[in-house]
Amino acid sequence: MPWCWGSVKDISLCSAVEGSLTPSAFQKEVSLTTRKRLVSKKKLNLPQIVQPQDKPETSHHKFSAVYPDHRSLQPFPPEVVFQNYTPGEVYEMPVVLRNRDKVPQQVKVTWESSPYFQLVGPSGTCHKVPPGLSITIHILFTPWQNKDYFHQLLCITEREEFIVPICAVGARAVLDFPDLLDFSECPVKYSSEKTLLVHNLGNRTARYHLSTQSPFSVTPEMGTLGVGDAVQVTVGFQPLQSGDHSASLVVHYDTGENTHTSLHGTAVDVHIRLDRDTVTVGKTYITMSNHTTVRIHNLSGITARFQWKAFDTQEEEDQLKLRQYHRLCRQEKDKLSDFLKEHRVDTTHREHSALLTRTIQRERARLQGDPMLFNNDIFSLEPKEGEIRPNCSAEINVFFKPQAARVYEQAVYCDISGRETRLPLLLIGEGLGPQLHFSFEELDIGEVFVRAAHSYEAILLNNGPIEALFRLAPPATAMSSCFTFLPQEGIVAPGRLQAIQISFCPTVLGEFKEEFWFHVTESPKPVTLTIRGFVMEPTFHFDVPALHFGDVSFGFPRTLRCSLSNTSLAPMAFNLCIPEDGLGEASICSSLQIFKTTRQSWRKGAQGFMKPREFHMSPCRGTIRSLGSQDIEVTLCSNTVREYRLELVVDVDGVGEKVLALTLTARCIVPPLQVLNPVVTFGRCCLKVPYNEKLTLLNDSDLPGCYGVLPQEHKEKAAAWYSSSAPSGIIEAHSSVEIPLTLEAQLLGECSITAEVAVFGSKGSPLEIHLECIGQGPVVYVYPRKINFGTIPVLQDNSKSLQLSNQTDIPATFWAEMAGKRSRWRIEPSKGVVPPKSEVSLIVTANLDDTEKFQDKVKVFIENSYMDTIPVQAVGTGTTIVTDKPFAPALNFKPHFSFTPCCYQFKMTNKGRRIHRLYWTTRPPALGGTKSKNASQTPRAGSPVFKLRPLHMDLRPGQTVEMVLEGCSSAAQEVKERLLCHALVGKEKAKKKIMQVNVTCEFICPVVQMSSRAITFRVEKKPSDVLTLQYKPLSLKNICSLPLSIVLDLEQPFLICDVNQQPLPADSKPMVLDVGEELHFCIQFNPAYENDLNSRVAERALRVSFMEHPHEEHIAVRGEVHFPNLRLQAKALDFGCVMNDTKQVLYMEMTNCSPLPALYHWSFQTDSQVNTIRFLPSPPTFKPQSSKKEQVFPRRHSKTEGVEEPTEAPEAMQDPAWENPAQQPANAEDSLEAEELSSTAVEPQKLVRMRGLSQFTAVEHLNLGMQEVFNVQPLWGVLPLGQSELVTFSFFGHANIVARVTALCHVEGGPTYEVEEIDWGLQVFNQVLKAEVTLRNTGVVEFTYVVPNSSTGTAANPLPGVPVVVPTTG
């Protein structure tokens, strides 16, 4: 939007509060009103030109007196600021625009609408300002809240466009920091603090941030302070250098303003010193330590903290940290790279950089936190850091532990508070090494023979207080290497000795004096031992004066033998050599030369630039025992044609070189060889077929010779190639050999080449042999001479064979290709070889891309023969429209669920050369299979089930279109439809059928085979039994032709479990059943789903639903729980009114309605409220009610306070009529409707009543118990299942009593039944009594009830003595 408010950035832009201010100036600035602030404004900031205008294009004035970079129109004020305003009031500010030019200026003032700022007068009007004059614009400001607002005024003149900012400064926080804070003089490197109590004097909560520069600091650096609240701010001053220091404490407000408080302080050194500048520690043996002390005196008034450093200044420490940081960075980078390579971790460059950055940051933090205290292996100080209280001293221990025998000097520096520079201290100490020496300084061994072994012993003593580690220096001369010292290194304990065994076996003759050094660890000088003596030499000779080899053949070795004898008394080590023999590689023997096949190896001098070694001695070196001899063999294999006269020289180790010599003589000859047939003729040769002939070589000399057929040179350019299976060999003296030659012609026609045979050692040219032949190529016949494919389907391969017959004995290499470009034929194989005297079949395959006639030619090329051409032709039929998936001629969707759409997506491509315009049609479906039960869901006749999209299209050559075939059926049926495709091909006018597709799909419903359609649980609980969970198996098998996803649902008290009887999770996913797969479950039944003991039945339905289809299956699940239960004929008994001192008897039938025997017993429930016996002393006169009417009274429930067991009445109180109910008069029987006790509906039974027929002896009405008023017979018993029994209830009518009681029938393992025995008591004969009876249906099905023999009276006018029941049916 063009205007905004509450933006600190905007207020800063319009310079509402000027920049660098002291706290007092800021407080004064904020307290000014709008007009006072405008008056106090000294510096005016000219508005910024937004866009300059070209005056000649916008005005008829061509010249101006104002410079181009100055404004011709000057606004005042240049920015409009409202300050200290009240929300809801209207403020006005005039803006004067003065024309500074000498020509009139046209100005237009515009701005965008704002709810807070208004421009008096219309916006966008033009004003003409004469030169030197001005116009005034009034701006109205209506704030809604005391917060910041911002707007702008756009002024457009003929020369420029500029903006006059409009700001409204809202509430501000003002913190009363001082303008100046002076710390005066403070110790250098010491922290001095001053605490300020700062108040918020503004009208806004202060959210501030404090900042300053080193050596000053401030805490806290940020905070929030409410209006009128105060906070403590601590300013610290810790200078690192002496002298004056100044900085600013800047308060950054969240509204964008900053205030600056000047900070000043002077740092000085205080009186802190060391007691001495140099510390010298006494002489100390290495591996031992010594110490001394030095003191630091603090004579100032501050607590000084000190640290011992290794560097004089902080800059040196920082440079060291920087070097360590760079070194650690390189090390960490290398480690990370090695780790990634070793573990073959593939990370991106960004992840690699992140890992390296985190590692380097950790190392940087560690280095920055390192105090760089003094750390040295030789000198150490304790403590390294600490504090010294004012006017106190600290004692520092200096420890010296030398590691070498030398003088150590180390400078350390004490960095301490109050001193700008560090206090230097020089540490000096001298280390002493081990004191080790021999028992004698020189050993003289006298005269000894060369190679004779001698032994001696020397003693090494340690006189020092520390152990000495010694090591023998390596020998430096030949004589010193003849000495052996054991041990050569070891440790001699303080005050102990070490015996050194010396072995000497001289190999150098003459007098000697050797000095041996033993280096002692940490000792500057070695221990020296001198040995002197004299060594004598041996004598020896050969058994022959010379060795004569005579004539030898070039490259053929000859061996002679001699013996060397030692006539001295000491063993002699000798070396044999022939100085005039070659120094190169060993000479080549003819037996090895015959295996070399290169031309270079048969040339003279091919062994190398150095002369070969032609003599070999065995052995060439060894040792002859005293007075012994050694047999020596000398072998000559000459590679040089010349005469030999050489010497065999003997060198004796330790005596000298060329001590003895033996003469050797010989002459080397190369035997001349001859070729008997220098011209070899091969006749006619097929190209590249090898032919064999033989060459005869003759040797007439007395020495054997070595020959070799040289490899052919420039073979790739030769007309024929030659070789030999045995190119080289040895020809004995006066004999001949036959050399096999093989020739292979490469070019047609006559050819002649030269082969060369070299003689090993010959200086002349090789022997030349001429090879002659005539080369000829293969003859191949191609048939048939023409191939006609006839009419073939387009886009399909159709093949015919082409035979190549080779008439010659050599293979014929061929290649074949089509003559035309973009040919629709291909040849397989396109190249190959026809074996000699055989045929090769070529497959010519046509694949046409249009229904036209095609012609082409097959070109067959035969290497080294002529080319043959075979014409081919074919006519295409069919269509070039193809699909990427199987589609035509039939598409079978296989079984598919009804109500679920089936879709087939494929692509059609025009692979022909002409455009195709396609038209798709669908024949009406042919319905079959099982039809749906709902006739409305069956598809209408003629309405296709499958639809293809799109139906019409144009396909250009190579174009592809995506097709979708969809179908859906709401009935289970088999659908067969036919899709027809007609096309206009190219420029043809008539359509033709190019594709026919028979679509078949069988829509099915899900079918699951269930192991049971109904599952029934039956539990009979005996009194001693405990109810447990019941399980029954259930299996579901998918017998349809598609997989199913089923969901099972069953309500309590039943539960679905797996085969392990574990409940399935409530949020389990649908179970997938493959075709023919069977799942096994368990159905769990909880018979204790209710807490009472009444027999009950639970019926639920297991719902099997399918994710793929709306069809559902149901399995009936029934659970029966049976307890010992009884069915009582009635729930209430009414004895009515009886005469005093008489007894009345009622009978009720009790039936065992459960499958278990019922063990019962009766008792009375007594309490003081419902079950009572009352006495009436003067009852009114009345007539007894008729006992022939049936009455039913409601059962009432009350809390049982006591139970009394009925007892047998005394014989004197019983009437004989009770013993035999059959003797009772007929009019004593009444019927009473019985209420159903269980869910089983029964026929109503009649109660038998007998009253007024017996009397008993009157008793006093004192403390009558229920057993004296009521009685039940039988009191207890066992009732078998399905049987009934009459229960007798007796009422003893004591004079003037009204009694009520509840009889309880307790069934073991079953419920307790209540029977209320009701006595209406004495009532006035003409009074109507009302009572309610509640019928409660405790079953799961509804029932209809009817009151039999209902009265004809109404509730308003009942008949006397006849009860009225409302309603009588329901």
Side-chain angles (χ1 to χ4, degrees):
M1 295 180 67
W3 48 269
C4 59
W5 57 89
S7 175
V8 176
K9 182 178 180 182
D10 294 337
I11 295 301
S12 299
L13 288 174
C14 69
S15 303
V17 178
E18 294 186 355
S20 178
L21 295 176
T22 62
S24 60
F26 175 68
Q27 182 178 355
K28 181 179 178 181
E29 184 79 20
V30 172
S31 63
L32 295 177
T33 62
T34 300
R35 297 194 178 276
K36 289 182 179 180
R37 185 185 184 282
L38 184 60
V39 172
S40 64
K41 189 80 170 180
K42 297 180 180 180
K43 182 180 179 182
L44 298 179
N45 297 324
L46 296 180
Q48 179 183 3
I49 295 178
V50 178
Q51 181 178 358
Q53 302 287 344
D54 190 0
K55 189 176 182 67
E57 296 179 0
T58 59
S59 174
H60 63 277
H61 299 288
K62 303 301 180 181
F63 302 100
S64 174
V66 182
Y67 292 104
D69 57 344
H70 289 70
R71 296 166 184 78
S72 60
L73 208 64
Q74 174 64 49
F76 180 82
E79 55 183 359
V80 179
V81 179
F82 296 92
Q83 186 169 300
N84 286 329
Y85 47 80
T86 303
E89 296 186 3
V90 180
Y91 298 88
E92 182 178 354
M93 174 71 74
V95 178
V96 179
L97 300 177
R98 179 176 174 271
N99 186 1
R100 300 171 56 194
D101 206 345
K102 293 182 179 181
V103 296
Q105 292 289 337
Q106 192 82 9
V107 60
K108 181 171 69 173
V109 179
T110 61
W111 77 356
E112 298 191 15
S113 176
S114 169
Y116 310 105
F117 298 95
Q118 295 181 2
L119 181 65
V120 178
S123 175
T125 59
C126 295
H127 303 274
K128 191 170 184 179
V129 185
L133 298 183
S134 62
I135 63 171
T136 302
I137 301 171
H138 295 270
I139 298 174
L140 300 181
F141 171 50
T142 306
W144 292 357
Q145 298 179 17
N146 190 6
K147 63 178 184 180
D148 297 340
Y149 298 90
F150 173 75
H151 204 54
Q152 62 184 15
L153 185 69
L154 178 62
C155 300
I156 304 174
T157 68
E158 298 173 353
R159 298 183 69 239
E160 70 270 337
E161 295 181 8
F162 60 87
I163 293 175
V164 178
I166 304 174
C167 302
V169 181
R172 285 293 184 270
V174 179
L175 302 180
D176 59 344
F177 279 92
D179 295 343
L180 175 64
L181 185 61
D182 190 0
F183 282 86
S184 66
E185 289 189 354
C186 297
V188 71
K189 292 185 180 179
Y190 183 75
S191 179
S192 302
E193 295 180 349
K194 284 193 176 184
T195 302
L196 305 177
L197 184 62
V198 180
H199 300 79
N200 184 2
L201 304 180
N203 55 358
R204 172 193 174 106
T205 299
R207 294 176 178 85
Y208 59 91
H209 173 71
L210 306 179
S211 64
T212 185
Q213 300 85 27
S214 178
F216 297 94
S217 61
V218 60
T219 56
E221 294 184 355
M222 62 180 62
T224 302
L225 190 62
V227 177
D229 295 342
V231 66
Q232 284 188 352
V233 178
T234 301
V235 182
F237 177 48
Q238 188 173 5
L240 299 179
Q241 296 177 353
S242 58
D244 294 334
H245 299 272
S246 299
S248 294
L249 174 62
V250 184
V251 181
H252 307 273
Y253 292 93
D254 62 335
T255 53
E257 298 84 12
N258 299 330
T259 63
H260 298 260
T261 298
S262 297
L263 304 178
H264 298 282
T266 302
V268 296
D269 283 333
V270 297
H271 194 187
I272 299 176
R273 63 179 180 83
L274 299 175
D275 65 343
R276 47 181 168 164
D277 297 333
T278 304
V279 175
T280 303
V281 187
K283 295 183 179 181
T284 307
Y285 283 96
I286 58 175
T287 71
M288 303 180 71
S289 64
N290 202 348
H291 76 283
T292 184
T293 60
V294 65
R295 288 182 176 272
I296 305 175
H297 300 291
N298 181 10
L299 304 179
S300 66
I302 65 172
T303 298
R305 177 170 180 80
F306 68 90
Q307 290 181 332
W308 290 101
K309 301 295 186 77
F311 296 96
D312 186 17
T313 60
Q314 183 66 35
E315 290 74 12
E316 296 180 7
E317 285 188 6
D318 295 339
Q319 292 178 2
L320 177 62
K321 287 185 178 181
L322 185 60
R323 291 194 297 271
Q324 291 180 352
Y325 172 71
H326 290 309
R327 184 176 67 256
L328 289 174
C329 289
R330 291 193 299 269
Q331 293 176 356
E332 292 298 330
K333 184 176 181 180
D334 296 340
K335 288 181 181 178
L336 182 59
S337 299
D338 294 342
F339 175 79
L340 296 177
K341 291 179 181 178
E342 180 180 357
H343 294 80
R344 297 181 180 178
V345 179
D346 185 12
T347 60
T348 62
H349 178 71
R350 181 176 298 177
E351 294 175 351
H352 190 178
S353 301
L355 290 173
L356 186 60
T357 301
R358 289 195 294 268
T359 304
I360 292 175
Q361 287 176 352
R362 289 196 301 267
E363 294 298 334
R364 178 186 296 175
R366 185 182 64 82
L367 286 176
Q368 289 179 351
D370 188 1
M372 300 294 288
L373 299 178
F374 174 74
N375 187 15
N376 189 274
D377 296 335
I378 307 301
F379 293 98
S380 61
L381 293 88
E382 292 294 339
K384 294 183 180 180
E385 59 181 339
E387 292 182 351
I388 306 176
R389 301 184 64 183
N391 299 314
C392 294
S393 299
E395 185 177 89
I396 307 299
N397 291 318
V398 180
F399 295 92
F400 175 56
K401 188 176 182 180
Q403 296 181 356
R406 68 181 186 86
V407 177
Y408 291 91
E409 291 185 0
Q410 178 67 46
V412 295
Y413 303 92
C414 181
D415 187 6
I416 190 167
S417 304
R419 293 297 296 267
E420 178 181 2
T421 59
R422 299 178 179 180
L423 305 178
L425 179 63
L426 180 61
L427 306 178
I428 302 175
E430 182 180 356
L432 300 178
Q435 303 297 319
L436 196 66
H437 63 91
F438 277 101
S439 58
F440 50 85
E441 295 181 355
E442 184 175 293
L443 175 62
D444 189 356
I445 62 175
E447 293 183 351
V448 293
F449 288 99
V450 66
R451 304 288 180 182
H454 304 274
S455 297
Y456 310 94
E457 185 179 75
I459 304 299
L460 198 59
L461 303 175
N462 184 4
N463 295 331
I466 60 175
E467 63 182 15
L469 177 63
F470 67 92
R471 179 176 54 85
L472 175 65
T477 62
M479 184 59 74
S480 62
S481 62
C482 298
F483 288 87
T484 302
F485 293 83
L486 291 177
Q488 295 184 359
E489 60 183 16
I491 299 176
V492 183
R496 305 297 294 273
L497 55 86
Q498 174 68 50
I500 305 297
Q501 302 296 327
I502 304 174
S503 300
F504 179 46
C505 184
T507 59
V508 181
L509 298 176
E511 186 178 1
F512 67 89
K513 181 180 181 181
E514 297 293 332
E515 191 175 74
F516 297 93
W517 289 358
F518 286 81
H519 295 288
V520 182
T521 304
E522 306 302 338
S523 179
K525 295 181 179 181
V527 180
T528 304
L529 177 63
T530 303
I531 303 177
R532 66 171 64 238
F534 182 82
V535 181
M536 298 183 297
E537 60 183 12
T539 57
F540 53 93
H541 64 89
F542 280 105
D543 63 341
V544 293
L547 292 178
H548 300 285
F549 289 90
D551 292 339
V552 295
S553 181
F554 189 98
F556 288 85
R558 179 174 294 181
T559 302
L560 297 180
R561 293 175 178 80
C562 64
S563 178
L564 180 63
S565 300
N566 180 12
T567 57
S568 65
L569 298 178
M572 178 190 70
F574 67 93
N575 289 290
L576 302 179
C577 68
I578 301 175
E580 297 181 9
D581 194 8
L583 300 178
E585 296 182 356
S587 59
I588 300 175
C589 180
S590 58
S591 60
L592 298 178
Q593 179 66 24
I594 60 176
F595 296 105
K596 296 184 179 182
T597 59
T598 62
R599 299 178 68 93
Q600 186 71 17
S601 62
W602 287 89
R603 293 178 181 175
K604 177 175 171 49
Q607 294 83 357
F609 297 101
M610 298 183 66
K611 185 179 179 181
R613 290 184 289 106
E614 299 174 319
F615 289 90
H616 175 72
M617 290 77 68
S618 178
C620 62
R621 65 180 56 85
T623 301
I624 306 175
R625 60 183 177 83
S626 60
L627 303 179
S629 62
Q630 174 68 51
D631 292 334
I632 298 172
E633 292 183 351
V634 180
T635 301
L636 170 62
C637 181
S638 177
N639 281 171
T640 306
V641 179
R642 69 184 184 96
E643 292 186 358
Y644 292 86
R645 188 173 185 84
L646 307 160
E647 287 186 346
L648 174 63
V649 176
V650 180
D651 299 333
V652 180
D653 294 347
V655 176
E657 296 180 355
K658 299 182 180 180
V659 178
L660 186 63
L662 181 65
T663 302
L664 305 177
T665 61
R667 185 179 69 165
C668 178
I669 299 175
V670 178
L673 302 182
Q674 300 177 6
V675 180
L676 297 182
N677 51 341
V679 178
V680 180
T681 302
F682 287 86
R684 290 186 174 272
C685 299
C686 293
L687 295 183
K688 299 182 180 180
V689 176
Y691 294 87
N692 299 319
E693 290 292 342
K694 291 185 179 181
L695 175 69
T696 303
L697 200 63
L698 178 64
N699 181 10
D700 288 336
S701 67
D702 296 332
L703 297 175
C706 179
Y707 66 90
V709 179
L710 298 181
Q712 185 177 2
E713 289 185 324
H714 309 293
K715 189 174 183 179
E716 64 278 359
K717 298 180 181 179
W721 296 350
Y722 71 87
S723 62
S724 175
S725 59
S728 59
I730 295 175
I731 181 171
E732 299 295 336
H734 303 289
S735 64
S736 63
V737 294
E738 291 184 347
I739 303 174
L741 292 179
T742 301
L743 185 69
E744 184 178 339
Q746 301 297 318
L747 297 178
L748 300 175
E750 296 181 358
C751 67
S752 176
I753 60 175
T754 301
E756 297 177 338
V757 178
V759 180
F760 187 42
S762 176
K763 297 180 181 181
S765 299
L767 304 176
E768 294 185 354
I769 299 95
H770 297 281
L771 308 179
E772 298 178 351
C773 70
I774 301 175
Q776 63 180 14
V779 178
V780 178
Y781 176 67
V782 182
Y783 66 93
R785 305 303 300 172
K786 182 178 181 181
I787 300 176
N788 187 3
F789 284 82
T791 301
I792 60 175
V794 297
L795 302 181
Q796 295 183 12
D797 289 344
N798 196 293
S799 302
K800 288 185 177 296
S801 63
L802 183 66
Q803 301 294 329
L804 305 183
S805 177
N806 187 359
Q807 308 294 324
T808 58
D809 295 332
I810 61 174
T813 301
F814 71 91
W815 65 94
E817 62 183 23
M818 302 303 300
K821 296 182 179 179
R822 298 180 59 187
S823 176
R824 305 310 302 170
W825 280 271
R826 67 178 186 273
I827 306 172
E828 295 177 353
S830 62
K831 58 184 178 180
V833 177
V834 183
K837 300 295 183 178
S838 62
E839 293 186 357
V840 170
S841 178
L842 303 184
I843 305 300
V844 182
T845 303
N847 190 302
L848 308 184
D849 58 356
D850 204 348
T851 56
E852 296 177 342
K853 182 177 180 180
F854 291 83
Q855 293 180 344
D856 205 341
K857 293 181 179 180
V858 179
K859 293 183 177 180
V860 180
F861 299 89
I862 307 298
E863 186 178 8
N864 297 321
S865 186
Y866 58 88
M867 181 193 73
D868 207 346
T869 302
I870 308 297
V872 294
Q873 68 177 12
V875 178
T877 184
T879 179
T880 58
I881 304 299
V882 298
T883 60
D884 63 335
K885 295 181 180 179
F887 187 61
L891 178 63
N892 189 356
F893 279 95
K894 299 182 180 180
H896 197 83
F897 285 117
S898 57
F899 293 95
T900 303
C902 56
C903 179
Y904 188 76
Q905 297 181 353
F906 61 96
K907 295 180 180 179
M908 294 186 63
T909 304
N910 183 3
K911 292 190 175 181
R913 300 185 178 187
R914 293 182 291 174
I915 186 172
H916 284 62
R917 179 165 295 176
L918 306 182
Y919 301 90
W920 286 93
T921 57
T922 306
R923 287 189 178 181
L927 301 179
T930 304
K931 296 186 178 180
S932 174
K933 297 180 180 180
N934 191 354
S936 62
Q937 297 179 353
T938 304
R940 300 187 307 273
S943 175
V945 174
F946 289 94
K947 297 180 180 179
L948 186 65
R949 302 195 313 270
L951 292 176
H952 310 288
M953 70 208 73
D954 290 343
L955 280 182
R956 294 180 176 83
Q959 185 179 359
T960 300
V961 64
E962 294 185 356
M963 308 291 293
V964 178
L965 179 63
E966 293 181 337
C968 183
S969 174
S970 59
Q973 60 180 348
E974 183 178 5
V975 177
K976 294 183 178 179
E977 294 182 353
R978 177 171 295 172
L979 303 177
L980 299 178
C981 180
H982 294 80
L984 290 175
V985 181
K987 297 181 180 180
E988 296 178 0
K989 302 299 182 179
K991 294 182 182 179
K992 62 179 180 180
K993 185 176 70 174
I994 63 172
M995 193 175 299
Q996 173 179 314
V997 183
N998 294 324
V999 182
T1000 306
C1001 182
E1002 181 184 359
F1003 292 94
I1004 63 173
C1005 289
V1007 182
V1008 176
Q1009 179 181 347
M1010 306 175 186
S1011 59
S1012 176
R1013 284 284 180 177
I1015 300 175
T1016 303
F1017 296 89
R1018 180 181 178 90
V1019 179
E1020 297 181 359
K1021 183 185 179 305
K1022 298 180 181 179
S1024 59
D1025 294 342
V1026 178
L1027 292 178
T1028 58
L1029 298 177
Q1030 305 293 315
Y1031 298 91
K1032 288 208 172 178
L1034 174 65
S1035 62
L1036 302 177
K1037 183 177 181 180
N1038 181 11
I1039 59 175
C1040 68
S1041 55
L1042 290 176
L1044 296 174
S1045 299
I1046 63 173
V1047 178
L1048 304 179
D1049 185 23
L1050 183 60
E1051 298 178 354
Q1052 293 289 341
F1054 301 98
L1055 199 62
I1056 305 173
C1057 303
D1058 56 16
V1059 293
N1060 297 323
Q1061 300 182 356
Q1062 298 297 322
L1064 298 180
D1067 56 348
S1068 60
K1069 297 180 180 179
M1071 291 168 285
V1072 179
L1073 270 177
D1074 289 335
V1075 178
E1077 184 180 0
E1078 187 174 5
L1079 291 179
H1080 298 276
F1081 306 94
C1082 284
I1083 305 301
Q1084 180 194 95
F1085 171 56
N1086 183 13
Y1089 67 95
E1090 292 186 3
N1091 295 327
D1092 56 18
L1093 299 176
N1094 293 317
S1095 298
R1096 49 186 173 267
V1097 177
E1099 293 181 341
R1100 303 289 188 272
L1102 172 60
R1103 186 164 59 92
V1104 182
S1105 57
F1106 306 93
M1107 302 297 294
E1108 300 84 1
H1109 201 275
H1111 176 67
E1112 287 187 356
E1113 296 282 353
H1114 295 84
I1115 300 175
V1117 184
R1118 176 184 177 91
E1120 300 178 1
V1121 184
H1122 296 279
F1123 298 89
N1125 278 193
L1126 299 176
R1127 182 172 66 246
L1128 301 182
Q1129 188 177 2
K1131 292 186 178 179
L1133 298 178
D1134 179 18
F1135 286 94
C1137 297
V1138 300
M1139 298 180 62
N1140 289 335
D1141 301 326
T1142 61
K1143 181 176 73 171
Q1144 182 165 332
V1145 179
L1146 293 178
Y1147 295 92
M1148 181 179 66
E1149 186 178 42
M1150 180 173 62
T1151 304
N1152 184 357
C1153 59
S1154 66
L1156 300 172
L1159 176 62
Y1160 67 90
H1161 73 276
W1162 289 89
S1163 64
F1164 291 129
Q1165 180 180 4
T1166 59
D1167 57 47
S1168 59
Q1169 296 180 356
V1170 180
N1171 303 311
T1172 59
I1173 300 176
R1174 295 182 289 112
F1175 295 93
L1176 298 177
S1178 299
T1181 303
F1182 69 95
K1183 293 183 178 180
Q1185 299 178 358
S1186 174
S1187 61
K1188 295 183 180 180
K1189 302 298 180 180
E1190 298 177 357
Q1191 296 182 3
V1192 178
F1193 297 92
R1195 189 179 94 181
R1196 299 182 181 179
H1197 301 275
S1198 62
K1199 183 178 180 180
T1200 304
E1201 293 184 355
V1203 178
E1204 296 184 3
E1205 297 289 342
T1207 59
E1208 299 290 341
E1211 295 179 359
M1213 299 177 59
Q1214 294 185 5
D1215 190 77
W1218 289 100
E1219 302 297 334
N1220 188 3
Q1223 299 179 2
Q1224 298 180 14
N1227 58 359
E1229 296 183 359
D1230 285 338
S1231 64
L1232 183 65
E1233 182 180 359
E1235 184 178 350
E1236 187 178 4
L1237 294 180
S1238 65
S1239 61
T1240 305
V1242 297
E1243 292 293 332
Q1245 303 291 332
K1246 292 185 178 180
L1247 297 176
V1248 181
R1249 173 181 294 177
M1250 297 180 62
R1251 65 179 184 180
L1253 299 179
S1254 61
Q1255 296 183 353
F1256 54 88
T1257 306
V1259 296
E1260 296 183 359
H1261 305 312
L1262 298 175
N1263 300 326
L1264 289 176
M1266 287 297 176
Q1267 69 276 10
E1268 300 179 39
V1269 179
F1270 297 99
N1271 191 21
V1272 181
Q1273 289 185 343
L1275 185 61
W1276 58 272
V1278 178
L1279 190 60
L1281 57 95
Q1283 295 189 11
S1284 301
E1285 186 177 15
L1286 284 178
V1287 180
T1288 303
F1289 294 89
S1290 302
F1291 172 60
F1292 302 99
H1294 296 276
N1296 301 325
I1297 66 170
V1298 177
R1300 181 186 181 91
V1301 73
T1302 299
L1304 303 178
C1305 180
H1306 305 276
V1307 180
E1308 184 177 2
T1312 298
Y1313 300 94
E1314 299 181 0
V1315 178
E1316 294 186 3
E1317 301 178 359
I1318 306 173
D1319 188 357
W1320 290 99
L1322 302 177
Q1323 302 293 337
V1324 180
F1325 72 94
N1326 59 353
Q1327 183 178 358
V1328 178
L1329 183 65
K1330 295 181 179 181
E1332 291 184 357
V1333 174
T1334 301
L1335 298 181
R1336 181 176 292 108
N1337 184 1
T1338 61
V1340 295
V1341 296
E1342 63 182 13
F1343 63 87
T1344 303
Y1345 69 90
V1346 177
V1347 177
N1349 302 325
S1350 60
S1351 173
T1352 59
T1354 62
N1357 297 312
L1359 296 178
V1362 181
V1364 177
V1365 181
V1366 180
T1368 60
T1369 183

